[in-house]
Amino acid sequence: MSSLKEQLQQHEAAIQALEITSAKALEEYRIQYLGTKGIVKMIFGEMKNVPVTEKKEAGQLLNAFKQMAEAKYAAHEHLKDAGNDSSPREDLSLPGDALPLGTRHPLRKVENEIVSIFEKIGFSVATGPEIEDDWHNFTSLNMPENHTARDMQDTFYVSRNPDYVLRTHTSSVQARVMEKGQLPVRVICPGRVYRNETISARAHCFFHQCEGLYIDKNVSFADLKQTLYYFVKEMFGEDVRVRFRPSYFPFTEPSAEMDISCTVCGGSGCSLCKHTGWVEILGCGMVHPNMLRNFNIDPDVYTGFAFGMGVERITQIKYQVNDLRLYSQNDVRFLRQFQSL
Ligand code: DAH
């Protein structure tokens, strides 16, 4: 018993004297004292030689020794994480991980493209408010109150008397530009518009338009056609054919709608062109003299043309997106497809 006690005292003194300053030294300590072939296990093995009468006291001494040895280990365990190697583990010279790139929304991308096509031929961008008064959205555009043409656009009213609406088209920006009284005018007006439509694959309560307006002396329908031919070639390519159909808009006279040959089937017929070979892309016409008069522009001196196109429509044709709801659902699986554009 006394020899066991002595042994333990010696080991204890040795442990206490030991200075552990590195993870490596800590591991050596663990192996030497606490490992499966370590000193603690070895001394426990000697219990079988201790006479029965002394077993109790010996057991207590051994347990105290074991706890002391383990406590020493625990007190230095933090060294394990720090390591004893003072050089940095990371290679700071490596390039960082690339951040995932966001994508431009397809509508914004197409809007930018439309704008830059017109900027190349001297148009500049004009914008206006989305909450618009009756005058700029309707009345000044030759659509007085009770005019049946107001039925063409189901309107969200923000207030009544005075009437404020969510603008139903970007033609309201035409009015805002004309009232500035600076001639000539050559603007392209992109923006969001609102209509009281039930949301479906083919209709939405908000969408985007791009309006064009050109007013100067001697502007003719031929100028309108050439400008739009140029736009179509830039946007859809050289091979696309164009046709104009007579139409009606209160703010233009004469008015027309423009179709392009279907870019999906080339004219042979598919679901995009509803098997006609043609897809409508915009409304246009010569600015109505009444509208010019509304802004004190003399229609005998100045003439102009205007056009308005749907950005969703152009995007649908370019990228064959056949459900309008996709544009506003924020589904990354849809949006990621435009990553490299
Ligand atoms: N504002 C019309 C619409 O929303 C589109 C339009 C047609 C605009 C003819 C024009 C135009 O400027 O001349 O349906």
Side-chain angles (χ1 to χ4, degrees):
M1 176 69 194
S2 62
S3 75
L4 179 71
K5 217 175 189 167
E6 264 167 37
Q7 259 192 64
L8 289 179
Q9 275 164 358
Q10 273 170 20
H11 284 308
E12 189 168 341
I15 288 173
Q16 237 118 61
L18 204 62
E19 266 192 54
I20 302 175
T21 53
S22 69
K24 193 162 163 265
L26 181 66
E27 180 61 4
E28 280 165 8
Y29 169 80
R30 189 190 65 77
I31 293 167
Q32 190 186 355
Y33 287 97
L34 307 171
T36 40
K37 291 180 184 150
I39 288 170
V40 172
K41 271 262 158 60
M42 189 194 76
I43 300 180
F44 265 75
E46 283 178 22
M47 272 291 275
K48 60 180 183 296
N49 305 325
V50 175
V52 182
T53 50
E54 295 173 11
K55 269 207 189 331
K56 190 175 170 208
E57 194 194 342
Q60 284 168 351
L61 284 171
L62 271 175
N63 274 330
F65 175 69
K66 186 178 174 219
Q67 274 168 22
M68 185 279 301
E70 283 173 350
K72 173 99 178 178
Y73 181 82
H76 293 83
E77 226 172 351
H78 61 276
L79 291 168
K80 250 189 351 194
D81 300 329
N84 63 347
D85 185 358
S86 60
S87 62
R89 279 159 188 255
E90 295 82 22
D91 180 352
L92 300 178
S93 67
L94 284 174
D97 291 339
L99 288 174
L101 263 192
T103 65
R104 243 182 247 292
H105 193 280
L107 291 176
R108 180 66 75 191
K109 142 102 185 136
V110 168
E111 183 187 284
N112 288 347
E113 210 171 327
I114 296 169
V115 167
S116 65
I117 289 172
F118 283 102
E119 276 177 342
K120 276 195 231 161
I121 54 168
F123 283 73
S124 53
V125 172
T127 55
E130 291 182 14
I131 297 177
E132 193 52 283
D133 54 40
D134 179 277
W135 167 256
H136 292 97
N137 195 78
F138 291 127
T139 306
S140 69
L141 296 170
N142 208 25
M143 273 191 269
E145 208 177 338
N146 303 322
H147 193 294
T148 46
R150 289 198 183 195
D151 269 2
M152 288 159 80
Q153 304 177 349
D154 269 325
T155 309
F156 285 118
Y157 280 82
V158 176
S159 73
R160 283 287 204 180
N161 283 325
D163 287 353
Y164 278 90
V165 300
L166 294 181
R167 68 179 176 196
T168 56
H169 51 184
T170 44
S171 303
S172 57
V173 188
Q174 285 190 33
R176 295 221 162 247
V177 172
M178 282 193 212
E179 78 185 353
K180 287 195 181 143
Q182 286 164 353
L183 294 166
V185 167
R186 207 189 287 163
V187 290
I188 186 93
C189 323
R192 181 175 282 183
V193 302
Y194 301 83
R195 299 215 188 145
N196 193 353
E197 304 264 3
T198 307
I199 296 172
S200 70
R202 303 171 60 85
H204 211 293
C205 59
F206 61 80
F207 51 98
H208 300 79
Q209 291 187 332
C210 249
E211 194 82 8
L213 176 67
Y214 181 24
I215 304 174
D216 204 345
K217 290 173 182 157
N218 298 318
V219 176
S220 70
F221 203 92
D223 296 317
L224 167 61
K225 288 175 82 174
Q226 284 306 324
T227 305
L228 294 177
Y229 285 150
Y230 156 78
F231 166 71
V232 168
K233 300 253 174 285
E234 291 284 307
M235 191 57 145
F236 298 105
E238 287 291 328
D239 301 334
V240 174
R241 282 163 296 130
V242 171
R243 76 176 184 189
F244 286 84
R245 282 177 293 103
S247 185
Y248 171 75
F249 299 101
F251 33 90
T252 44
E253 181 58 37
S255 303
E257 277 167 302
M258 192 178 88
D259 300 342
I260 60 169
S261 55
C262 183
T263 53
V264 172
C265 64
S268 57
C270 68
S271 63
L272 174 69
C273 62
K274 298 203 207 91
H275 302 279
T276 63
W278 295 94
V279 283
E280 182 200 321
I281 65 162
L282 55 82
C284 60
M286 300 305 293
V287 180
H288 199 292
N290 285 351
M291 194 177 163
L292 293 173
R293 279 189 210 103
N294 281 339
F295 295 99
N296 300 320
I297 300 170
D298 184 350
D300 294 327
V301 182
Y302 285 95
T303 48
F305 67 71
F307 55 85
M309 65 184 93
V311 180
E312 278 80 352
R313 182 76 172 145
I314 308 279
T315 313
Q316 177 193 21
I317 297 167
K318 269 201 98 121
Y319 300 116
Q320 276 130 64
V321 177
N322 53 15
D323 188 331
L324 277 176
R325 292 167 293 195
L326 286 167
Y327 292 122
S328 51
Q329 275 167 340
N330 280 343
D331 186 333
V332 287
R333 292 169 302 178
F334 170 70
L335 297 170
R336 278 206 191 111
Q337 294 176 59
F338 299 89
Q339 200 137 33
S340 61
L341 298 173

